[in-house]
Amino acid sequence: CAWRRKNCDGRGVRMMEIAPNFLTDIIDEDIENGLKERIHTRFPPEPNGYLHIGSAKAIFINYFIAKKYNGLFNLRYDDTNPVKEDTEFVESIEEDLRWLGANPDAIFYGSDYFDQCYEYAVKLIRDGKAYVCDLTPDEMREYRGTLTQPGRESPYRGRTPEENLDLFERMKNGEFPDGSRTLRAKIDMASPNLNLRDPAIYRIVRAHHHRQGDKWCIYPLYDFAHPIQDAIEGITHSMCSLEFENHRPLYEWVVDNIGFDPKPKQREFARLNITNTVMSKRYLRELVETKRVDGWDDPRMPTLCGLRRRGYTPSAIFSFVQRAGIAKTNSLVDQRLLEYCIREELNTNAPRRMAVTEPVRMIIDNYPEGKVEYFEIANNPVDPEAGARKVAFSRELYIERSDFAEVPPPKFQRLKPDGEVRLMGAYIVRCVQVVKNDAGEIVELHCTADLETGNGMPADGRKVRGTIHWVSAAHAVDADVMLYDNLFTLEDVNAVPEGTNYLDYLNPDSLRALKGCKLEASLAEAKPGDRFQFVRMGYFCKDSHNAHTFNRIVTLKDSFKL
Protein backbone atom coordinates (compact mmCIF):
# COMPACT_ATOMS: atom_id res chain seq x y z
CA CYS A 1 0.00 0.00 0.00
CA ALA A 2 0.96 3.66 -0.25
CA TRP A 3 1.83 3.81 3.46
CA ARG A 4 4.33 0.96 3.13
CA ARG A 5 5.95 2.44 0.02
CA LYS A 6 6.36 5.78 1.75
CA ASN A 7 7.47 4.66 5.20
CA CYS A 8 9.33 1.35 4.77
CA ASP A 9 12.56 0.18 3.22
CA GLY A 10 12.83 -2.63 0.69
CA ARG A 11 12.41 -5.30 3.38
CA GLY A 12 9.17 -3.79 4.69
CA VAL A 13 10.92 -2.49 7.83
CA ARG A 14 9.79 0.98 8.83
CA MET A 15 12.49 3.57 8.27
CA MET A 16 13.48 5.17 11.54
CA GLU A 17 16.20 7.26 13.14
CA ILE A 18 17.12 7.30 16.79
CA ALA A 19 16.16 10.51 18.58
CA PRO A 20 18.91 12.46 20.37
CA ASN A 21 19.49 11.09 23.88
CA PHE A 22 22.13 11.03 26.58
CA LEU A 23 24.03 8.25 24.78
CA THR A 24 24.27 10.17 21.53
CA ASP A 25 25.32 13.20 23.59
CA ILE A 26 28.21 11.14 24.99
CA ILE A 27 29.26 10.06 21.49
CA ASP A 28 28.99 13.61 20.15
CA GLU A 29 31.25 14.80 22.97
CA ASP A 30 33.76 12.01 22.29
CA ILE A 31 33.90 13.00 18.62
CA GLU A 32 34.38 16.66 19.54
CA ASN A 33 37.21 15.63 21.87
CA GLY A 34 39.08 13.92 19.06
CA LEU A 35 37.75 10.36 18.77
CA LYS A 36 39.24 9.12 15.51
CA GLU A 37 37.81 5.59 15.37
CA ARG A 38 34.65 4.80 13.44
CA ILE A 39 31.70 4.39 15.82
CA HIS A 40 31.32 0.69 16.47
CA THR A 41 28.60 -0.92 18.62
CA ARG A 42 27.52 -4.44 19.43
CA PHE A 43 24.62 -6.50 20.74
CA PRO A 44 25.98 -9.35 22.96
CA PRO A 45 23.16 -11.73 23.99
CA GLU A 46 23.78 -14.92 25.89
CA PRO A 47 22.28 -17.82 23.87
CA ASN A 48 20.43 -19.31 26.84
CA GLY A 49 16.91 -18.32 25.81
CA TYR A 50 14.88 -16.43 23.25
CA LEU A 51 15.11 -12.66 22.86
CA HIS A 52 12.25 -10.59 24.27
CA ILE A 53 11.00 -7.05 23.76
CA GLY A 54 13.46 -5.82 26.38
CA SER A 55 16.22 -7.13 24.10
CA ALA A 56 14.68 -5.05 21.31
CA LYS A 57 15.59 -1.90 23.25
CA ALA A 58 19.27 -2.88 23.37
CA ILE A 59 19.16 -3.81 19.68
CA PHE A 60 17.43 -0.53 18.81
CA ILE A 61 19.99 1.57 20.69
CA ASN A 62 23.09 -0.17 19.37
CA TYR A 63 21.88 -0.67 15.80
CA PHE A 64 20.43 2.78 15.20
CA ILE A 65 23.29 4.59 16.93
CA ALA A 66 25.72 2.78 14.62
CA LYS A 67 23.53 3.75 11.68
CA LYS A 68 23.27 7.39 12.84
CA TYR A 69 27.06 7.78 12.81
CA ASN A 70 27.65 5.66 9.69
CA GLY A 71 29.34 3.14 11.95
CA LEU A 72 29.37 -0.64 12.39
CA PHE A 73 27.13 -2.97 14.40
CA ASN A 74 28.15 -6.45 15.56
CA LEU A 75 26.15 -9.38 16.83
CA ARG A 76 28.28 -11.23 19.35
CA TYR A 77 27.07 -14.31 21.18
CA ASP A 78 28.15 -14.22 24.82
CA ASP A 79 28.53 -18.00 24.93
CA THR A 80 30.85 -18.33 27.91
CA ASN A 81 28.50 -20.46 30.04
CA PRO A 82 28.08 -23.85 28.32
CA VAL A 83 25.69 -25.23 30.94
CA LYS A 84 22.72 -23.13 29.78
CA GLU A 85 23.50 -22.44 26.11
CA ASP A 86 22.24 -24.19 23.00
CA THR A 87 22.34 -23.86 19.19
CA GLU A 88 18.54 -23.51 19.24
CA PHE A 89 18.93 -20.16 20.96
CA VAL A 90 21.86 -19.15 18.74
CA GLU A 91 19.73 -19.64 15.62
CA SER A 92 16.68 -17.92 17.09
CA ILE A 93 18.68 -14.82 18.05
CA GLU A 94 19.98 -14.23 14.54
CA GLU A 95 16.52 -14.90 13.11
CA ASP A 96 15.03 -12.28 15.43
CA LEU A 97 17.64 -9.65 14.55
CA ARG A 98 17.11 -10.16 10.84
CA TRP A 99 13.32 -10.03 11.30
CA LEU A 100 13.73 -6.69 13.08
CA GLY A 101 15.83 -5.45 10.18
CA ALA A 102 18.86 -4.93 12.43
CA ASN A 103 21.22 -6.86 10.18
CA PRO A 104 24.67 -7.04 11.80
CA ASP A 105 27.79 -6.05 9.89
CA ALA A 106 29.56 -9.02 11.46
CA ILE A 107 28.71 -11.99 13.69
CA PHE A 108 31.11 -13.16 16.39
CA TYR A 109 31.13 -15.70 19.22
CA GLY A 110 32.66 -14.96 22.60
CA SER A 111 33.86 -18.55 22.71
CA ASP A 112 36.08 -17.93 19.67
CA TYR A 113 38.16 -15.63 21.91
CA PHE A 114 38.82 -18.28 24.56
CA ASP A 115 42.47 -18.73 23.54
CA GLN A 116 43.07 -14.99 23.75
CA CYS A 117 41.21 -14.73 27.05
CA TYR A 118 43.44 -17.47 28.45
CA GLU A 119 46.61 -15.69 27.29
CA TYR A 120 45.41 -12.41 28.82
CA ALA A 121 44.70 -14.23 32.10
CA VAL A 122 48.27 -15.59 32.01
CA LYS A 123 49.54 -12.03 31.47
CA LEU A 124 47.67 -10.84 34.57
CA ILE A 125 49.13 -13.70 36.60
CA ARG A 126 52.67 -12.86 35.42
CA ASP A 127 52.06 -9.22 36.30
CA GLY A 128 51.00 -10.22 39.81
CA LYS A 129 47.42 -9.08 39.18
CA ALA A 130 45.63 -12.44 39.35
CA TYR A 131 45.90 -15.52 41.53
CA VAL A 132 44.43 -19.00 41.87
CA CYS A 133 42.13 -19.27 44.90
CA ASP A 134 41.04 -22.47 46.66
CA LEU A 135 38.17 -20.94 48.62
CA THR A 136 34.79 -22.57 48.09
CA PRO A 137 31.94 -20.41 46.74
CA ASP A 138 30.46 -20.12 50.24
CA GLU A 139 33.84 -19.11 51.69
CA MET A 140 34.34 -16.55 48.94
CA ARG A 141 31.00 -14.95 49.81
CA GLU A 142 31.96 -14.87 53.47
CA TYR A 143 35.37 -13.31 52.74
CA ARG A 144 33.85 -10.78 50.35
CA GLY A 145 32.32 -8.67 53.11
CA THR A 146 29.23 -6.50 52.83
CA LEU A 147 28.25 -3.05 51.63
CA THR A 148 29.22 -1.70 55.06
CA GLN A 149 32.07 -4.05 55.96
CA PRO A 150 35.29 -4.51 53.92
CA GLY A 151 36.24 -7.93 52.69
CA ARG A 152 39.08 -10.12 53.93
CA GLU A 153 41.96 -11.22 51.77
CA SER A 154 41.98 -14.85 50.68
CA PRO A 155 44.71 -16.95 52.37
CA TYR A 156 45.79 -17.87 48.82
CA ARG A 157 46.22 -14.26 47.69
CA GLY A 158 49.97 -14.30 48.39
CA ARG A 159 50.82 -17.14 46.01
CA THR A 160 53.75 -16.34 43.73
CA PRO A 161 53.18 -15.77 39.99
CA GLU A 162 55.05 -19.00 39.29
CA GLU A 163 52.79 -21.02 41.59
CA ASN A 164 49.70 -19.39 40.12
CA LEU A 165 50.84 -20.07 36.55
CA ASP A 166 51.35 -23.74 37.39
CA LEU A 167 47.96 -24.06 39.10
CA PHE A 168 46.13 -22.19 36.32
CA GLU A 169 47.62 -24.45 33.66
CA ARG A 170 46.62 -27.49 35.70
CA MET A 171 43.11 -26.04 35.97
CA LYS A 172 43.06 -25.84 32.16
CA ASN A 173 44.35 -29.41 31.90
CA GLY A 174 41.47 -30.71 34.00
CA GLU A 175 43.44 -31.81 37.06
CA PHE A 176 41.01 -30.33 39.60
CA PRO A 177 37.31 -30.96 40.29
CA ASP A 178 34.63 -28.52 39.14
CA GLY A 179 34.29 -25.53 41.44
CA SER A 180 37.37 -26.41 43.49
CA ARG A 181 39.45 -23.46 42.31
CA THR A 182 38.97 -20.10 40.61
CA LEU A 183 41.27 -17.54 39.10
CA ARG A 184 40.67 -14.17 40.76
CA ALA A 185 41.76 -10.68 39.82
CA LYS A 186 43.88 -9.09 42.54
CA ILE A 187 42.32 -5.67 43.04
CA ASP A 188 41.12 -4.34 46.42
CA MET A 189 39.24 -6.28 49.10
CA ALA A 190 38.40 -3.00 50.85
CA SER A 191 36.86 -1.36 47.80
CA PRO A 192 33.38 0.15 48.38
CA ASN A 193 32.44 -1.50 45.07
CA LEU A 194 31.95 -5.21 45.78
CA ASN A 195 32.70 -6.05 42.15
CA LEU A 196 36.32 -4.96 42.71
CA ARG A 197 36.89 -7.20 45.73
CA ASP A 198 39.09 -9.71 43.94
CA PRO A 199 36.38 -10.96 41.54
CA ALA A 200 36.60 -14.42 40.02
CA ILE A 201 37.54 -14.25 36.34
CA TYR A 202 37.83 -17.99 35.56
CA ARG A 203 36.04 -21.06 36.93
CA ILE A 204 36.25 -24.81 36.37
CA VAL A 205 33.21 -26.24 34.57
CA ARG A 206 33.13 -29.55 32.75
CA ALA A 207 30.38 -29.16 30.19
CA HIS A 208 30.12 -29.71 26.45
CA HIS A 209 30.19 -26.38 24.63
CA HIS A 210 27.89 -25.94 21.63
CA ARG A 211 30.77 -24.49 19.59
CA GLN A 212 34.06 -25.47 21.28
CA GLY A 213 33.05 -29.01 22.13
CA ASP A 214 35.12 -30.44 25.01
CA LYS A 215 38.26 -28.39 24.37
CA TRP A 216 37.89 -26.38 27.57
CA CYS A 217 37.07 -27.21 31.17
CA ILE A 218 37.74 -23.68 32.38
CA TYR A 219 35.63 -20.74 31.25
CA PRO A 220 36.09 -16.98 31.65
CA LEU A 221 33.37 -15.10 33.49
CA TYR A 222 31.40 -12.39 31.72
CA ASP A 223 33.03 -9.44 33.50
CA PHE A 224 36.44 -10.60 32.29
CA ALA A 225 35.55 -11.86 28.82
CA HIS A 226 33.25 -9.02 27.76
CA PRO A 227 35.71 -6.10 27.84
CA ILE A 228 38.31 -8.26 26.08
CA GLN A 229 35.85 -9.11 23.32
CA ASP A 230 34.86 -5.45 22.95
CA ALA A 231 38.49 -4.36 22.69
CA ILE A 232 39.44 -7.06 20.16
CA GLU A 233 36.48 -6.18 17.91
CA GLY A 234 37.21 -2.46 18.04
CA ILE A 235 34.00 -1.55 19.82
CA THR A 236 34.05 2.15 20.63
CA HIS A 237 30.92 2.32 22.77
CA SER A 238 29.72 -0.68 24.73
CA MET A 239 26.14 0.25 25.62
CA CYS A 240 24.39 -2.04 28.07
CA SER A 241 21.62 -2.03 30.65
CA LEU A 242 21.82 -0.21 33.96
CA GLU A 243 22.46 -3.37 36.00
CA PHE A 244 26.05 -3.30 34.69
CA GLU A 245 26.78 0.23 35.92
CA ASN A 246 28.47 -1.07 39.09
CA HIS A 247 30.48 -3.45 36.92
CA ARG A 248 31.94 -0.62 34.84
CA PRO A 249 35.01 -0.10 37.11
CA LEU A 250 35.89 -3.79 36.66
CA TYR A 251 35.36 -3.48 32.88
CA GLU A 252 37.79 -0.56 32.86
CA TRP A 253 40.25 -2.39 35.15
CA VAL A 254 40.43 -5.31 32.71
CA VAL A 255 40.91 -3.01 29.70
CA ASP A 256 43.57 -0.93 31.47
CA ASN A 257 45.55 -3.81 32.98
CA ILE A 258 45.66 -5.87 29.83
CA GLY A 259 46.80 -2.72 28.02
CA PHE A 260 44.30 -2.26 25.22
CA ASP A 261 44.53 0.88 23.13
CA PRO A 262 42.19 2.30 21.95
CA LYS A 263 39.90 1.56 24.85
CA PRO A 264 36.20 0.74 24.48
CA LYS A 265 33.87 2.86 26.62
CA GLN A 266 30.99 1.25 28.56
CA ARG A 267 27.86 3.29 29.23
CA GLU A 268 24.52 2.15 30.64
CA PHE A 269 20.83 2.79 30.01
CA ALA A 270 17.66 1.79 31.85
CA ARG A 271 16.12 -1.56 31.00
CA LEU A 272 12.71 -1.82 29.39
CA ASN A 273 10.10 -3.02 31.89
CA ILE A 274 6.50 -3.37 30.76
CA THR A 275 3.30 -3.75 32.74
CA ASN A 276 1.59 -7.14 33.10
CA THR A 277 4.54 -9.20 31.92
CA VAL A 278 7.97 -10.50 32.93
CA MET A 279 11.32 -10.04 31.21
CA SER A 280 13.47 -12.43 33.22
CA LYS A 281 14.73 -15.29 31.05
CA ARG A 282 14.54 -17.51 34.12
CA TYR A 283 10.84 -16.77 34.53
CA LEU A 284 10.15 -17.08 30.81
CA ARG A 285 11.95 -20.43 30.74
CA GLU A 286 9.91 -21.62 33.71
CA LEU A 287 6.66 -20.67 31.95
CA VAL A 288 7.75 -22.73 28.94
CA GLU A 289 9.10 -25.73 30.82
CA THR A 290 6.06 -26.00 33.09
CA LYS A 291 3.78 -25.70 30.02
CA ARG A 292 1.92 -22.69 31.37
CA VAL A 293 2.38 -21.30 27.87
CA ASP A 294 2.60 -22.99 24.50
CA GLY A 295 6.34 -22.59 23.96
CA TRP A 296 8.68 -19.63 23.58
CA ASP A 297 6.61 -18.27 20.70
CA ASP A 298 3.28 -18.38 22.50
CA PRO A 299 1.59 -15.13 21.38
CA ARG A 300 1.11 -14.11 25.02
CA MET A 301 4.87 -14.14 25.64
CA PRO A 302 6.97 -10.95 25.43
CA THR A 303 9.52 -12.83 23.30
CA LEU A 304 10.17 -11.44 19.85
CA CYS A 305 9.10 -14.73 18.27
CA GLY A 306 5.89 -14.61 20.33
CA LEU A 307 5.19 -11.03 19.27
CA ARG A 308 5.95 -11.97 15.66
CA ARG A 309 3.53 -14.90 15.79
CA ARG A 310 0.87 -12.69 17.34
CA GLY A 311 1.25 -10.21 14.48
CA TYR A 312 3.37 -7.37 15.81
CA THR A 313 5.68 -5.70 13.30
CA PRO A 314 9.33 -4.67 13.70
CA SER A 315 8.38 -1.05 13.02
CA ALA A 316 5.73 -1.06 15.76
CA ILE A 317 8.19 -2.57 18.24
CA PHE A 318 10.89 -0.01 17.43
CA SER A 319 8.34 2.81 17.52
CA PHE A 320 7.35 1.62 20.99
CA VAL A 321 10.97 1.57 22.16
CA GLN A 322 11.54 5.05 20.76
CA ARG A 323 8.43 6.44 22.46
CA ALA A 324 9.18 4.69 25.75
CA GLY A 325 12.40 6.70 25.82
CA ILE A 326 16.10 6.15 26.44
CA ALA A 327 17.13 7.26 29.91
CA LYS A 328 19.15 6.26 32.97
CA THR A 329 16.16 5.92 35.29
CA ASN A 330 14.28 2.64 35.52
CA SER A 331 10.56 2.89 34.88
CA LEU A 332 7.55 0.73 34.13
CA VAL A 333 6.08 1.33 30.67
CA ASP A 334 2.39 0.76 30.06
CA GLN A 335 1.98 -2.14 27.63
CA ARG A 336 -0.91 -0.23 26.10
CA LEU A 337 1.71 2.02 24.50
CA LEU A 338 2.91 -1.00 22.53
CA GLU A 339 -0.68 -1.74 21.54
CA TYR A 340 -1.10 1.88 20.51
CA CYS A 341 1.93 1.64 18.20
CA ILE A 342 0.72 -1.46 16.34
CA ARG A 343 -2.85 -0.16 16.21
CA GLU A 344 -1.65 3.14 14.74
CA GLU A 345 0.27 1.30 12.02
CA LEU A 346 -2.37 -1.28 11.16
CA ASN A 347 -5.16 1.28 11.05
CA THR A 348 -3.26 2.77 8.13
CA ASN A 349 -2.23 -0.33 6.22
CA ALA A 350 -4.22 -3.39 7.28
CA PRO A 351 -6.81 -4.67 4.76
CA ARG A 352 -10.36 -4.82 6.12
CA ARG A 353 -12.20 -8.13 6.15
CA MET A 354 -15.43 -9.43 7.70
CA ALA A 355 -15.30 -12.23 10.25
CA VAL A 356 -18.09 -13.66 12.41
CA THR A 357 -16.59 -15.20 15.52
CA GLU A 358 -19.77 -16.36 17.32
CA PRO A 359 -22.10 -17.04 14.41
CA VAL A 360 -25.86 -17.26 14.27
CA ARG A 361 -27.54 -18.09 10.97
CA MET A 362 -29.65 -15.45 9.21
CA ILE A 363 -32.10 -16.33 6.43
CA ILE A 364 -33.22 -13.56 4.05
CA ASP A 365 -36.70 -14.87 3.30
CA ASN A 366 -37.39 -12.62 0.29
CA TYR A 367 -34.02 -13.21 -1.35
CA PRO A 368 -34.08 -15.83 -4.15
CA GLU A 369 -32.66 -19.25 -3.31
CA GLY A 370 -29.49 -20.02 -5.24
CA LYS A 371 -28.86 -16.41 -6.16
CA VAL A 372 -25.41 -14.95 -5.47
CA GLU A 373 -24.40 -11.36 -6.06
CA TYR A 374 -21.21 -9.53 -5.25
CA PHE A 375 -20.92 -6.26 -3.40
CA GLU A 376 -17.82 -4.13 -3.79
CA ILE A 377 -16.39 -3.17 -0.40
CA ALA A 378 -13.32 -1.00 0.22
CA ASN A 379 -10.21 -2.83 1.35
CA ASN A 380 -9.15 0.09 3.54
CA PRO A 381 -11.14 3.33 3.84
CA VAL A 382 -7.99 5.09 5.12
CA ASP A 383 -6.04 4.20 1.96
CA PRO A 384 -7.92 4.80 -1.31
CA GLU A 385 -5.09 3.15 -3.24
CA ALA A 386 -5.87 -0.14 -1.51
CA GLY A 387 -8.87 -0.53 -3.83
CA ALA A 388 -11.90 -2.71 -3.22
CA ARG A 389 -12.86 -6.37 -3.22
CA LYS A 390 -16.01 -8.21 -4.24
CA VAL A 391 -17.82 -9.99 -1.40
CA ALA A 392 -20.39 -12.71 -2.10
CA PHE A 393 -23.95 -12.20 -0.80
CA SER A 394 -26.55 -14.97 -0.69
CA ARG A 395 -29.85 -15.91 0.93
CA GLU A 396 -28.19 -17.50 3.98
CA LEU A 397 -25.73 -15.48 6.01
CA TYR A 398 -23.97 -15.52 9.36
CA ILE A 399 -23.96 -12.59 11.75
CA GLU A 400 -22.46 -12.12 15.21
CA ARG A 401 -24.63 -13.50 17.98
CA SER A 402 -23.97 -10.31 19.96
CA ASP A 403 -25.41 -8.23 17.10
CA PHE A 404 -28.91 -9.49 17.91
CA ALA A 405 -30.83 -8.92 21.14
CA GLU A 406 -34.28 -10.36 21.71
CA VAL A 407 -34.70 -7.94 24.61
CA PRO A 408 -32.39 -5.10 23.65
CA PRO A 409 -30.74 -2.89 26.27
CA PRO A 410 -31.16 0.90 26.08
CA LYS A 411 -29.53 2.58 23.03
CA PHE A 412 -29.02 -0.79 21.32
CA GLN A 413 -28.60 0.02 17.61
CA ARG A 414 -28.13 -3.45 16.21
CA LEU A 415 -30.68 -6.06 15.22
CA LYS A 416 -33.77 -6.81 17.31
CA PRO A 417 -37.24 -8.31 16.67
CA ASP A 418 -39.05 -6.17 14.07
CA GLY A 419 -36.00 -3.88 13.99
CA GLU A 420 -33.92 -2.86 11.01
CA VAL A 421 -30.18 -2.79 10.52
CA ARG A 422 -27.82 -2.24 7.60
CA LEU A 423 -25.73 -5.22 6.50
CA MET A 424 -22.32 -3.63 5.87
CA GLY A 425 -21.94 -2.75 2.19
CA ALA A 426 -25.24 -4.43 1.32
CA TYR A 427 -28.98 -4.29 2.12
CA ILE A 428 -31.07 -3.09 5.02
CA VAL A 429 -32.83 -6.03 6.67
CA ARG A 430 -35.67 -6.37 9.17
CA CYS A 431 -35.93 -9.26 11.66
CA VAL A 432 -39.29 -11.02 11.30
CA GLN A 433 -38.78 -14.31 13.17
CA VAL A 434 -36.54 -15.82 15.85
CA VAL A 435 -36.02 -19.62 15.83
CA LYS A 436 -34.86 -21.38 19.00
CA ASN A 437 -33.89 -24.95 19.85
CA ASP A 438 -35.34 -27.03 22.69
CA ALA A 439 -32.88 -25.45 25.12
CA GLY A 440 -34.21 -22.00 24.29
CA GLU A 441 -31.07 -20.95 22.40
CA ILE A 442 -31.38 -18.85 19.28
CA VAL A 443 -30.29 -20.88 16.28
CA GLU A 444 -31.71 -18.92 13.36
CA LEU A 445 -33.03 -15.49 12.47
CA HIS A 446 -35.42 -14.85 9.60
CA CYS A 447 -35.30 -11.44 7.99
CA THR A 448 -36.58 -9.59 4.98
CA ALA A 449 -34.35 -7.32 2.95
CA ASP A 450 -35.21 -3.98 1.45
CA LEU A 451 -33.81 -4.91 -1.93
CA GLU A 452 -33.81 -1.30 -3.10
CA THR A 453 -31.14 -0.32 -0.55
CA GLY A 454 -28.11 -2.15 -1.91
CA ASN A 455 -26.42 1.09 -2.85
CA GLY A 456 -28.03 3.66 -0.61
CA MET A 457 -30.68 4.66 1.90
CA PRO A 458 -34.39 3.78 1.75
CA ALA A 459 -36.47 5.69 -0.78
CA ASP A 460 -39.01 6.67 1.88
CA GLY A 461 -36.33 8.52 3.87
CA ARG A 462 -36.49 6.39 7.04
CA LYS A 463 -33.27 6.32 9.04
CA VAL A 464 -31.48 3.12 9.95
CA ARG A 465 -28.65 3.80 12.34
CA GLY A 466 -27.15 0.38 13.01
CA THR A 467 -24.66 -1.37 10.71
CA ILE A 468 -23.43 -4.92 11.28
CA HIS A 469 -21.04 -7.20 9.44
CA TRP A 470 -21.88 -10.60 7.94
CA VAL A 471 -20.57 -13.42 5.75
CA SER A 472 -22.33 -15.55 3.19
CA ALA A 473 -22.94 -19.04 4.62
CA ALA A 474 -22.22 -20.74 1.29
CA HIS A 475 -18.91 -18.93 0.86
CA ALA A 476 -17.67 -18.73 4.46
CA VAL A 477 -14.25 -19.98 5.51
CA ASP A 478 -14.18 -21.98 8.75
CA ALA A 479 -11.51 -20.90 11.23
CA ASP A 480 -10.53 -20.70 14.87
CA VAL A 481 -9.87 -17.28 16.37
CA MET A 482 -7.61 -16.77 19.38
CA LEU A 483 -8.31 -13.79 21.62
CA TYR A 484 -5.25 -12.93 23.73
CA ASP A 485 -5.06 -10.78 26.84
CA ASN A 486 -2.34 -9.92 29.37
CA LEU A 487 -0.44 -12.93 30.66
CA PHE A 488 -0.47 -11.54 34.21
CA THR A 489 -3.11 -9.70 36.21
CA LEU A 490 -0.57 -7.76 38.29
CA GLU A 491 0.68 -4.53 36.74
CA ASP A 492 4.23 -4.73 38.10
CA VAL A 493 5.08 -8.42 38.08
CA ASN A 494 8.65 -7.61 39.16
CA ALA A 495 7.37 -6.35 42.53
CA VAL A 496 4.98 -9.03 43.75
CA PRO A 497 3.58 -8.62 47.28
CA GLU A 498 5.49 -10.37 50.05
CA GLY A 499 4.57 -14.00 50.48
CA THR A 500 3.46 -14.43 46.87
CA ASN A 501 5.05 -15.70 43.67
CA TYR A 502 4.83 -14.21 40.20
CA LEU A 503 2.99 -17.35 39.09
CA ASP A 504 0.19 -16.49 41.51
CA TYR A 505 -0.75 -13.67 39.16
CA LEU A 506 -1.10 -15.63 35.93
CA ASN A 507 -4.23 -14.46 34.14
CA PRO A 508 -6.65 -17.42 33.74
CA ASP A 509 -8.37 -15.50 30.93
CA SER A 510 -5.23 -14.65 28.95
CA LEU A 511 -6.48 -16.85 26.09
CA ARG A 512 -9.99 -17.35 24.81
CA ALA A 513 -10.27 -19.75 21.88
CA LEU A 514 -13.26 -19.26 19.59
CA LYS A 515 -13.98 -22.35 17.51
CA GLY A 516 -16.13 -22.61 14.42
CA CYS A 517 -15.83 -18.99 13.32
CA LYS A 518 -17.04 -17.96 9.86
CA LEU A 519 -14.76 -15.73 7.80
CA GLU A 520 -15.06 -13.86 4.55
CA ALA A 521 -14.07 -16.06 1.58
CA SER A 522 -11.01 -13.98 0.62
CA LEU A 523 -9.33 -14.96 3.91
CA ALA A 524 -8.88 -18.49 2.55
CA GLU A 525 -5.93 -17.08 0.59
CA ALA A 526 -4.27 -15.49 3.64
CA LYS A 527 -0.67 -16.53 4.25
CA PRO A 528 0.92 -17.05 7.68
CA GLY A 529 1.78 -13.66 9.13
CA ASP A 530 -0.74 -11.71 7.01
CA ARG A 531 -2.50 -9.03 9.05
CA PHE A 532 -6.08 -7.78 8.74
CA GLN A 533 -8.60 -5.67 10.49
CA PHE A 534 -11.67 -7.76 11.21
CA VAL A 535 -14.17 -4.93 10.96
CA ARG A 536 -15.74 -3.86 14.22
CA MET A 537 -13.57 -6.38 16.13
CA GLY A 538 -9.85 -5.68 16.03
CA TYR A 539 -6.64 -6.57 14.22
CA PHE A 540 -5.76 -10.18 13.51
CA CYS A 541 -2.91 -12.21 12.07
CA LYS A 542 -2.87 -15.56 10.31
CA ASP A 543 -1.11 -17.96 12.66
CA SER A 544 2.24 -19.39 11.57
CA HIS A 545 1.60 -22.82 13.14
CA ASN A 546 -2.06 -23.57 12.46
CA ALA A 547 -3.45 -23.10 8.97
CA HIS A 548 -7.02 -22.42 10.14
CA THR A 549 -6.22 -20.07 13.01
CA PHE A 550 -6.12 -16.29 13.33
CA ASN A 551 -4.61 -14.54 16.37
CA ARG A 552 -5.89 -11.27 17.68
CA ILE A 553 -3.04 -8.78 17.69
CA VAL A 554 -4.89 -5.97 19.43
CA THR A 555 -8.42 -4.71 19.92
CA LEU A 556 -9.86 -2.05 17.65
CA LYS A 557 -9.86 0.75 20.21
CA ASP A 558 -8.46 1.59 23.61
CA SER A 559 -8.69 4.51 25.98
CA PHE A 560 -4.88 4.87 26.05
CA LYS A 561 -3.56 8.20 24.76
CA LEU A 562 -0.03 9.45 24.24
Side-chain angles (χ1 to χ4, degrees), residues 304-316:
L304 293 179
C305 57
L307 290 166
R308 178 164 66 245
R309 183 179 171 191
R310 184 159 173 175
Y312 277 85
T313 64
S315 49

Side-chain angles (χ1 to χ4, degrees), residues 469-508:
H469 61 279
W470 51 274
V471 295
S472 166
H475 302 84
V477 174
D478 291 325
D480 297 333
V481 170
M482 303 296 162
L483 304 182
Y484 293 103
D485 202 348
N486 295 330
L487 190 53
F488 292 91
T489 57
L490 189 66
E491 184 176 87
D492 189 354
V493 192
N494 297 309
V496 298
E498 188 176 352
T500 65
N501 182 281
Y502 82 105
L503 294 174
D504 296 333
Y505 300 94
L506 276 170
N507 181 6

Side-chain angles (χ1 to χ4, degrees), residues 428-440:
I428 291 172
V429 297
R430 178 184 296 275
C431 179
V432 296
Q433 184 185 3
V434 179
V435 179
K436 300 180 180 180
N437 60 18
D438 293 341

Side-chain angles (χ1 to χ4, degrees), residues 3 26 77 125 146 178 181 221 239 306 325 337 405 498 508 524:
W3 182 92
I26 290 170
Y77 294 101
I125 294 172
T146 66
D178 287 10
R181 283 181 166 87
L221 278 86
M239 292 168 286
L337 175 59
E498 188 176 352

Side-chain angles (χ1 to χ4, degrees), residues 307-423:
L307 290 166
R308 178 164 66 245
R309 183 179 171 191
R310 184 159 173 175
Y312 277 85
T313 64
S315 49
I317 291 171
F318 280 156
S319 178
F320 166 70
V321 171
Q322 178 88 290
R323 284 166 161 163
I326 299 169
K328 288 205 70 170
T329 305
N330 285 318
S331 61
L332 188 64
V333 182
D334 195 324
Q335 55 86 23
R336 292 182 301 167
L337 175 59
L338 175 61
E339 295 176 352
Y340 177 94
C341 292
I342 187 65
R343 189 182 289 114
E344 178 185 51
E345 180 177 322
L346 295 181
N347 178 56
T348 307
N349 65 15
R352 273 49 169 175
R353 294 294 184 266
M354 293 192 287
V356 177
T357 58
E358 295 182 272
V360 62
R361 186 177 292 269
M362 172 189 283
I363 311 295
I364 311 296
D365 290 337
N366 64 331
Y367 196 85
E369 290 192 32
K371 179 181 177 179
V372 177
E373 61 182 314
Y374 292 85
F375 287 98
E376 221 173 64
I377 301 178
N379 284 322
N380 189 337
V382 179
D383 179 15
E385 292 186 33
R389 68 199 186 280
K390 292 183 177 180
V391 181
F393 184 93
S394 60
R395 186 171 188 268
E396 295 190 13
L397 311 172
Y398 290 110
I399 68 167
E400 286 286 349
R401 189 169 294 275
S402 60
D403 278 339
F404 175 80
E406 195 169 15
V407 181
K411 298 183 180 180
F412 187 77
Q413 293 184 355
R414 287 164 281 170
L415 194 60
K416 56 188 176 183
D418 200 36
E420 286 188 313
V421 72
R422 163 79 70 178
L423 296 179

Side-chain angles (χ1 to χ4, degrees), residues 424-474:
M424 184 176 291
Y427 300 112
I428 291 172
V429 297
R430 178 184 296 275
C431 179
V432 296
Q433 184 185 3
V434 179
V435 179
K436 300 180 180 180
N437 60 18
D438 293 341
E441 300 167 329
I442 297 172
V443 293
E444 197 169 271
L445 302 172
H446 284 260
C447 297
T448 58
D450 184 339
L451 300 177
E452 302 298 321
T453 59
N455 294 307
M457 296 303 292
D460 60 9
R462 71 185 188 278
K463 294 184 178 179
V464 177
R465 297 188 178 181
T467 300
I468 65 174
H469 61 279
W470 51 274
V471 295
S472 166

Side-chain angles (χ1 to χ4, degrees), residues 310 482-484 537 539-541 550-555:
R310 184 159 173 175
M482 303 296 162
L483 304 182
Y484 293 103
M537 297 186 59
Y539 297 97
F540 291 78
C541 175
F550 284 81
N551 302 322
R552 185 171 69 187
I553 308 169
V554 67
T555 56

